[in-house]
Amino acid sequence: MERFDKSYFDEGGAVAPGPDMVDKRPGYTAAMRWLLLFCAVIGMVFAFVLFSDENLLHGGDKINIMLCYGLFWLAYLAAFYYACWHRARKNLPAWLIALSSIWFVIRPFVYKEHTLYIINFIALPLMLMLHAVIVSFDIPQERELYGLLAWVKGWFIAPFVRIGRFFGCIGSLARAGGDAKRASSVRIGLLIGLPMVVVAALLLINADAALRFYVKDSLNSAESVIARAITAFIIAMLFYSFIFYMAYDKPKIESRPYSRIIPSAAAVTALMMLLVLYAVFAAFQFTYLTGLKGLPEGMTYSEYAVHGFSELCTVGCLNIAVFIILNTFSAKSKGLAACLCALMACTVALVFCAGFRLYMYIEAYGLTVRRILSLWFMAALLVFAVICIVKLYAPRLRLLRTMAVAFVALYMMLNLLNIDAIIAKTVLGRADATGYMSEEDALYLKYELSSDAAPVIEQSERWRERIQNAYSVPDGKHE
């Protein structure tokens, strides 16, 4: 029987070598063994979801799909919080992410809008990985970039690196119950008896035609059971490895700052070149957007607005990445701080320029889900730029963690909106202002928006019938 010194376990239940340890084999606490049960539930739920008729493979209803999908991730959250409760219970950013994830699962029951449903389907595991990193790793402020590395490790290392612990914990169940010698004898007996039973069963089945018929019929239905069992076992194994890595492994993270390998003068020179480029670009934008100089012949403002929006937002993202790299790896100086602040100011200007383009496009063609998402993304870029500026004057601010939490909070706010109702209100508002509703707008309100917009349309006495009879109105005879 294995006996361990109390120092063999740390406060989280992880195994830590103790000087008085008698048994040198890896030990497992009761919490680690109970984690097997939690992971078995995760595996069974995954198998149920995968082989259920209400899944993506069988074209099930999206509400039922998200319900099954959410049930799987909620089972994971329960297992994760069980293993990491001592670290997670007072972690407010982690609770924000967990509650946001639960809302993503519930949202299809509240709003029927489809685009965010698809995005949330992808965002849910990405956010839960961020949740695991925030809970599990005590990352020093000087080594914030380790958080990105830990997030990547969560996908490609954590589910595999502790698979041995999964089988070891299963083996420890036999040793935990009593005499290890007797348990070993029972396992040997099983290994000897199993081949004999299989051979005898095959001979008996072959000797009876009726029995052979029923066994063959049972095997056909058993294929699905076997597939589910194998799937559940693999998923349980991977999630046990992942949670064990996150809950019990505590890699030592250096607390010393990163080496400032980029000279301050080099960073300032590169930034000055970027700032001059942005100044020239801003001058051209100012003349076009204010009307001081007309657009090229044959180009309308709506055409001008739609081109370049994504590029401007991409430049804004690159500016934030440049800020993070130079602020982390460049030697500090007042000149560098001023240039980084100017870079973020240019980022704000670029976002406003992209926003004005989008505003012109919305004025010409109206509001859609994609344009709302674009407006939200620009708002996120503005928040990131402000956080970067604050970082310059508050060095102890955890930049990446603050940006991640802000992103989750903004995305949660987006999910709380009734997007289709907002779009319907803007389309109806434009129609009220102009006294005219185009055929495209009527068809869009009738067929493209979900039932979330129905109450808004019903309240419009002026345009309700126009929308309901969109196809029956002859072309050119709108109200």
Side-chain angles (χ1 to χ4, degrees):
M1 180 181 296
E2 50 188 350
R3 294 181 290 109
F4 302 100
D5 181 75
K6 290 182 179 180
S7 64
Y8 190 65
F9 301 105
D10 64 17
E11 60 179 2
V15 180
D20 301 324
M21 184 171 58
V22 176
D23 194 334
K24 299 296 183 181
R25 292 173 298 181
Y28 298 89
T29 65
M32 295 175 184
R33 294 184 177 114
W34 277 107
L35 184 59
L36 282 174
L37 178 61
F38 278 93
C39 291
V41 172
I42 295 173
M44 288 186 288
V45 172
F46 182 87
F48 168 77
V49 172
L50 183 65
F51 292 94
S52 171
D53 291 336
E54 295 293 346
N55 62 27
L56 286 173
L57 300 178
H58 296 88
D61 178 77
K62 73 176 185 178
I63 291 181
N64 291 327
I65 290 173
M66 182 56 84
L67 180 62
C68 295
Y69 187 65
L71 182 64
F72 165 69
W73 287 115
L74 290 177
Y76 155 75
L77 265 180
F80 184 84
Y81 269 100
Y82 171 77
C84 301
W85 179 249
H86 62 289
R87 274 182 278 174
R89 59 185 177 181
K90 295 182 180 179
N91 194 317
L92 294 181
W95 280 111
L96 169 65
I97 298 174
L99 293 176
S100 299
S101 302
I102 294 173
W103 170 246
F104 296 163
V105 176
I106 298 173
R107 189 178 186 275
F109 295 90
V110 180
Y111 299 132
K112 303 301 183 288
E113 188 274 323
H114 187 68
T115 303
L116 274 184
Y117 164 80
I118 298 297
I119 297 175
N120 289 344
F121 205 86
I122 301 170
L124 191 54
L126 302 179
M127 287 181 55
L128 289 176
M129 184 62 74
L130 174 64
H131 171 270
V133 170
I134 288 177
V135 169
S136 302
F137 294 93
D138 298 322
I139 302 173
Q141 189 271 338
E142 297 82 3
R143 289 272 167 173
E144 268 204 294
L145 290 179
Y146 186 87
L148 293 176
L149 178 61
W151 192 85
V152 174
K153 282 184 175 181
W155 293 105
F156 301 105
I157 294 179
F160 310 101
V161 73
R162 291 294 176 259
I163 287 178
R165 287 289 196 172
F166 174 75
F167 291 100
C169 192
I170 292 176
S172 75
L173 295 176
R175 297 197 300 270
D179 187 2
K181 184 177 180 180
R182 181 179 179 182
S184 178
S185 301
V186 172
R187 288 195 293 270
I188 294 173
L190 291 174
L191 291 175
I192 295 173
L194 185 60
M196 295 189 297
V197 170
V198 171
V199 172
L202 291 175
L203 291 173
L204 292 173
I205 292 170
N206 193 50
D208 191 290
L211 180 62
R212 188 166 61 250
F213 172 82
Y214 287 115
V215 169
K216 185 177 180 181
D217 185 64
S218 299
L219 288 176
N220 290 333
S221 61
E223 289 181 2
S224 176
V225 176
I226 294 172
R228 291 175 187 234
I230 293 174
T231 301
F233 180 83
I234 293 174
I235 295 301
M237 176 180 67
L238 295 178
F239 272 86
Y240 188 90
S241 174
F242 173 81
I243 296 175
F244 194 102
Y245 178 86
M246 290 293 181
Y248 303 123
D249 282 0
K250 289 187 177 181
K252 185 178 179 181
I253 306 172
E254 295 183 12
S255 58
R256 63 183 178 86
Y258 292 103
S259 300
R260 304 277 178 174
I261 59 176
I262 303 176
S264 178
V268 169
T269 301
L271 288 173
M272 289 297 295
M273 294 171 63
L274 266 180
L275 293 174
V276 170
L277 174 64
Y278 292 153
V280 174
F281 180 79
F284 276 97
Q285 293 292 297
F286 182 78
T287 57
Y288 288 132
L289 295 179
T290 59
L292 294 178
K293 182 178 180 180
L295 293 173
E297 186 177 353
M299 180 180 290
T300 65
Y301 271 95
S302 60
E303 292 172 338
Y304 174 72
V306 72
H307 293 291
F309 170 80
S310 59
E311 287 81 359
L312 289 175
C313 290
T314 303
V315 171
C317 294
L318 290 176
N319 285 349
I320 292 173
V322 168
F323 178 95
I324 294 172
I325 293 172
L326 294 183
N327 187 64
T328 304
F329 297 106
S330 295
K332 293 184 178 181
S333 69
K334 291 184 178 180
L336 176 62
C339 288
L340 287 175
C341 187
L343 180 67
M344 290 300 98
C346 289
T347 302
V348 172
L350 287 172
V351 171
F352 273 108
C353 179
F356 194 78
R357 287 172 179 249
L358 185 60
Y359 168 76
M360 291 193 300
Y361 196 63
I362 291 173
E363 281 290 302
Y365 298 104
L367 199 61
T368 63
V369 175
R370 289 186 178 182
R371 289 160 204 164
I372 288 179
L373 293 176
S374 299
L375 289 170
W376 174 86
F377 183 72
M378 288 189 298
L381 281 181
L382 284 176
V383 171
F384 290 168
V386 171
I387 293 173
C388 289
I389 293 173
V390 173
K391 172 68 174 178
L392 291 173
Y393 300 97
R396 301 304 299 176
L397 176 71
R398 292 178 176 268
L399 180 63
L400 294 182
R401 179 169 176 149
T402 303
M403 293 173 67
V405 173
F407 184 87
V408 172
L410 289 170
Y411 191 65
M412 178 66 172
M413 292 170 61
L414 177 67
N415 275 269
L416 291 173
L417 298 176
N418 187 343
I419 292 179
D420 282 350
I422 293 173
I423 294 173
K425 287 180 181 179
T426 59
V427 174
L428 292 171
R430 289 175 65 228
D432 288 335
T434 60
Y436 168 79
M437 177 178 288
S438 68
E439 186 76 11
E440 292 77 10
D441 284 346
L443 293 175
Y444 183 78
L445 291 172
K446 183 176 181 179
Y447 293 106
E448 297 297 326
L449 299 183
S450 68
S451 58
D452 298 338
V456 176
I457 296 174
E458 286 297 319
Q459 291 174 5
S460 177
E461 297 180 359
R462 183 177 183 182
W463 303 109
R464 182 176 59 235
E465 187 176 350
R466 167 76 178 88
I467 296 167
Q468 292 173 349
N469 301 321
Y471 272 125
S472 64
V473 177
D475 189 28
K477 302 215 176 180
H478 307 308
E479 293 184 7

